[in-house]
Amino acid sequence: MKIVRVQPFILHVPVTGNEIADSTHRIDFWGAPGVMIETDNGLTGYGYTGTHAHLPTDKLITSCIAETYAPLLIGEDPRETLYLWQKLGRFPPVQWVGRSGITHLALSAVDIALWDIKAKAAGVPLWKLLGGSQQKRVMAYNTDGGWLNWPLDKLIDDARCSVEERGFQGIKIKVGSPDPNDDLKRLDAVRRTIGPHIQLMVDANGRWDLPTAINYGRHFADYDVLWFEEPLWYDDLAGHQALAQAIRTLIALGEQLYTLDNFRDFIQVRAVHFVQADATRLAGITEWWRVADLALAFRLPVAAHVGDMMQVHLQLAAAHPACSVLEYIPWLRECFEEPATVKDGYYQIPQQPGAGTTPRHAALAQFNVLK
Ligand code: 0YR
Ligand code: MG
């Protein structure tokens, strides 16, 4: 089997309810720069990464795919995923300009498309190719809620609805308001609303400094917060390590870490408890799996970051023993042939061959902004 065509695309899809905000981002569209890889035996694989739908930036990713990676892929066997990951990711000119960021996001999209082909060629969903099981229970917690741009009454209504009507057994809310006391008020109101038995997480999206995170984070235990996510600037290893020792609430991070080396550094100094590896930031399935194994070796759970890249993460969670919880953000959901679906608080295990990344033709026609 040989790769004969590499064709990038960029989906821009509206987020739920016009606009969402966390402490750091305010967005109305989600972006999925991705790639379609065709083979000489008629199989087609799809992979993508996630962005804030800023077209000039998204084009940096797709031009890396089209101009740098495509020539390295044409004629290769797409099933040789480890070899191709190395060939692209360690291609000296790429290694020189970007071991994370744009080139790495582009490599994610390519790697996922290759695994999609590999699973389609085997005639099984990716989770089965990776050794997973139909019996695996993957809990969903709702993150398409708790937004910082929502007033208190909407926050509370949505928390109640998530739990009582939609069946989620866990939810996450954003913190990082201009006045952190407002965050504690919102947290208190949400905990009262959902009662003591629902998992509740908070996410500061990297906003706070260490004193703020210690001062306010130490109150989170009063509300039985399961984890405090991205409290500090993403790369601040020593800060997270100090925070993990200073407060009782456990630390989650990883959605802005790009490499196995980044995760090793955080994990080995115990600066993280819930490992939020994201296969669309780490370079694909290949590097995600290495991080998940690393977490397993330290007896840490992987709570994969999803953004809204549920399709591929559901496959991984159904396979990897360290991962049994995933956030739920359905912005891209309708774009796919077999959309990730939650029932009674748990994800349904997908059945179609591949990585779950095959878009509907109509979605490509409607949302592809790469002309
Ligand atoms: C906006 N999940 C997150 C949104 C979300 C972000 O970038 O996607 O809040 O990915 O932090 O845990
Ligand atoms: Mg987050």
Side-chain angles (χ1 to χ4, degrees):
M1 195 194 310
K2 283 193 167 57
I3 296 171
V4 293
R5 187 160 168 250
V6 176
Q7 178 73 42
F9 58 84
I10 301 174
L11 305 182
H12 281 183
V13 180
V15 302
T16 316
N18 297 327
E19 189 184 58
I20 57 92
D22 58 36
S23 68
T24 323
H25 319 104
R26 181 174 284 272
I27 56 174
D28 50 5
F29 276 78
W30 188 254
V35 63
M36 178 181 82
I37 296 181
E38 287 177 9
T39 62
D40 60 354
N41 69 350
L43 287 176
T44 303
Y46 296 87
Y48 53 90
T49 183
T51 66
H52 286 179
H54 180 251
L55 189 58
T57 315
D58 290 352
K59 280 183 173 167
L60 294 173
I61 296 170
T62 51
S63 87
C64 177
I65 293 171
E67 289 167 39
T68 300
Y69 291 153
L72 299 173
L73 289 165
I74 299 292
E76 295 283 9
D77 185 330
R79 294 166 299 185
E80 295 177 0
T81 46
L82 292 176
Y83 162 75
L84 289 173
W85 192 95
Q86 202 75 10
K87 180 179 181 183
L88 272 53
R90 300 292 180 258
F91 182 54
V94 169
Q95 197 175 300
W96 190 270
V97 301
R99 292 187 296 280
S100 60
I102 293 158
T103 56
H104 219 68
L105 296 174
L107 183 55
S108 304
V110 169
D111 182 82
I112 292 166
L114 297 176
W115 278 95
D116 185 36
I117 294 172
K118 195 153 135 157
K120 284 170 175 166
V124 293
L126 179 63
W127 58 261
K128 195 181 275 280
L129 187 71
L130 293 169
S133 166
Q134 179 74 44
Q135 324 288 322
K136 180 76 182 274
R137 299 273 284 160
V138 181
M139 193 193 121
Y141 71 90
N142 194 19
T143 324
D144 190 27
W147 299 113
L148 224 45
N149 57 331
W150 287 5
L152 187 62
D153 54 350
K154 184 169 180 185
L155 180 79
I156 291 171
D157 277 354
D158 185 72
R160 182 181 296 115
C161 173
S162 294
V163 171
E164 286 176 12
E165 288 164 39
R166 299 172 67 199
F168 287 103
Q169 293 166 40
I171 62 173
K172 188 161 77 188
I173 68 165
K174 301 296 185 181
V175 296
S177 304
D179 180 354
N181 291 303
D182 291 337
D183 293 321
L184 292 183
K185 282 180 201 147
R186 289 161 72 89
L187 180 57
D188 180 47
V190 168
R191 177 48 94 191
R192 283 170 196 274
T193 301
I194 62 177
H197 303 302
I198 300 293
Q199 287 184 358
L200 178 58
M201 293 68 116
V202 299
D203 188 353
N205 289 91
R207 187 68 177 180
W208 281 347
D209 59 18
L210 186 57
T212 310
I214 292 174
N215 271 334
Y216 289 89
R218 71 174 175 220
H219 295 295
F220 291 166
D222 300 343
Y223 306 103
D224 196 17
V225 166
L226 178 60
W227 73 60
F228 182 7
E229 179 169 325
E230 291 202 310
L232 307 171
W233 178 252
Y234 320 108
D235 300 318
D236 184 1
L237 177 64
H240 286 98
Q241 192 185 10
L243 183 65
Q245 287 164 9
I247 64 171
R248 277 194 287 155
T249 302
L250 301 166
I251 307 298
L253 56 83
E255 66 177 84
Q256 303 252 359
L257 298 184
Y258 288 85
T259 65
L260 175 64
D261 306 71
N262 290 156
F263 278 96
R264 180 207 53 217
D265 292 346
F266 277 81
I267 287 174
Q268 76 180 357
V269 300
R270 305 283 176 181
V272 56
H273 301 106
F274 291 89
V275 178
Q276 297 186 296
D278 180 335
T280 66
R281 284 224 179 211
L282 286 162
I285 314 292
T286 300
E287 200 170 23
W288 187 95
W289 197 267
R290 290 171 181 165
V291 169
D293 277 349
L294 174 70
L296 182 70
F298 279 79
R299 299 297 174 264
L300 295 176
V302 175
H305 173 252
V306 167
D308 67 336
M309 322 303 276
M310 290 186 295
Q311 299 294 124
V312 68
H313 287 105
L314 176 52
Q315 301 281 337
L316 293 167
H320 201 282
C323 186
S324 55
V325 60
L326 280 188
E327 63 181 333
Y328 183 78
I329 301 191
W331 301 329
L332 283 184
R333 193 178 168 273
E334 298 298 330
C335 293
F336 298 100
E337 282 192 353
E338 191 186 18
T341 300
V342 172
K343 195 162 174 268
D344 301 326
Y346 285 82
Y347 278 97
Q348 295 189 312
I349 303 297
Q351 300 302 315
Q352 289 183 9
T357 49
T358 305
R360 297 181 205 271
H361 290 298
L364 277 174
Q366 186 181 354
F367 298 120
N368 187 7
V369 291
L370 186 62
K371 302 295 176 224

